[in-house]
Amino acid sequence: MARIIILDPIAQEGLDMLARTRGIEHEVRTGLKGEALKKALVEFDGAICRSGVTLGGDVLEGNRRLRAIARAGVGTDNIDKEAATRLGIVVMNTPTGNTLSTAEHTFTLMLALSRRVAEAYGALLKGKWDRKTYMGTQLADKTLGIVGLGRIGQEVAKRAQAFQMRVFGYDPFLSAEQAAKLGITRVEKVRDMLPHVDYLTVHTPLTPETTNLIDAEAIKLMKPGVRLINAARGGIYNEAALVEGLKSGKLGGVALDVFVEEPNTTSPLLGMPNVLCTPHLGASTEEAQTQVAVEAVELLINYFTKGEVRHAVNMAAIDPKTLEAIRGYLDLAYRLGLLMSQWHLEGASACHLIYRGELAKKNTRLVTAAFCAGLLERALEEDVNIVNAELLLRERGIQLTEESRSEPGAFSSSMSAEVTSGQGGKFVASGTLFGNDMPRLIRLGDFRLEAYLDGNLLVFTHNDVPGIIGTVGTIFGNHRVNIAQMSVGRTAPGGAAIGVLNLDALPPPAALAEVSSHPHISSVRVIELPIAGLLPTWLQA
């Protein structure tokens, strides 16, 4: 039974959904910090948080139980995603739940700033009826610049157009064709729009690229009287530059819902004329809080009951339909990785994966991650899964590449792994899937064969001479080791050959010694794989 901890207050609707779900237990423990938080997290499989708790590397360190974190909201700045990834913890957010609320709040700030609503109301409270001082500006026929045209940015654009505003936009992932469909004039760089806009709003995460995106130099490019709005992340606008821009009269107004440091009641912007600030209220509507709570709960329920990964910020998304379609290939890749790690992995420097046929059209990124998980599982003390495997592989200096080929080859779908050692040796293994869930080994080194990828394997290379297979069978029979399956491959009659035996039990050292001593057998290696049908825990539904 999966156990979920709720670390911040969430809407009752989300808690009720958890209570109704069979196979899941939950506890609400809010206000945890430091060691208390660290100790609590090791008791649970999943966690739900908002922005109140900080899940840093210090509290996640050494956690081998936690498998998923759901953030009830968009931002995941309070979660150490690198630490979570290294521990194999999926981090998911709820990017759609507060879209409309944040877009509406952005427009609220824009309108209130334009009409100086807060200042006028403040004057009224002091007994002043002053219409001249608080002359406003209408939005119609003005130009709005939007940085970041994701869900929220697009919703803001729709509302601006309804107010008869012209809209300029920047987003590196929005095509000119899509921008045209949205009625947005797309620019190649943020600074290209700055001389033309009367209002500017930002809807991007805080990254090294967006930190101080609008600074003193950017403000110099703007027309006098421009108004700036930020309901995204503190730090995108340089707050010191905003203060100077207001003092000089270059900026006509600033409206902020977010700050670099929060909570914030000491910013020099507070109290300045033509400034409107709110305490991070973008998602603070009853509807948004209910929606993000329900979405966060659904993310964890679907993860623990169906294996679905959606809205993940540290791995590729997996929906149940996709997972079911590639589950067999994930198992195949994982087993190939395990095989390669036991066959020849010493001093690996590079790994190249090749996907052929129908498999090349599927989510090969996940398949690659599954291979990496198998490759590293026996080598590392920490738990390895498809979330952290690729990161752990690259951290060890192993170069990882993949390629896809649409032509099927001998099978409708197959994959090959080429592992290069530090000494330049290259070791190759290929596999395919029979039916939906029967992984098969179809190549090992230069040899083509067809072997079961499960249980205890004995791989031995030998000269292709009569009697080898019979001799090996006799040796194992004498040691009471049953052979379940057998496959052989060779390069040419009388040349080099390989044998792969599936054994019901691990052979004793004496049996291996007898096989190795045969004059025509050049190498012997035992490889341990899961039994048929046994999936790794991270792949089980």
Side-chain angles (χ1 to χ4, degrees), residues 36 47 70 94 191 440 522 525:
T94 57
R191 299 203 170 195
R440 294 291 186 267
S522 52
R525 193 174 294 262

Side-chain angles (χ1 to χ4, degrees), residues 45 64-65 67 88 303-304 306-307 323 327 331 334 373 377 383-386 530 533-541:
D45 306 287
R64 295 200 171 202
R65 177 166 182 177
R67 294 166 56 193
Y303 177 80
F304 287 113
K306 303 177 184 177
L323 180 62
R327 191 188 300 275
D331 187 30
Y334 167 69
E377 183 177 284
D383 294 330
V384 184
N385 58 30
I386 56 174
L534 180 62
L535 302 176
T537 55
W538 46 262
L539 192 51
Q540 296 172 15

Side-chain angles (χ1 to χ4, degrees), residues 443-455:
R443 181 184 175 187
L444 199 54
D446 295 327
F447 306 103
R448 298 190 180 278
L449 66 161
E450 183 189 312
Y452 286 61
L453 269 173
D454 55 68

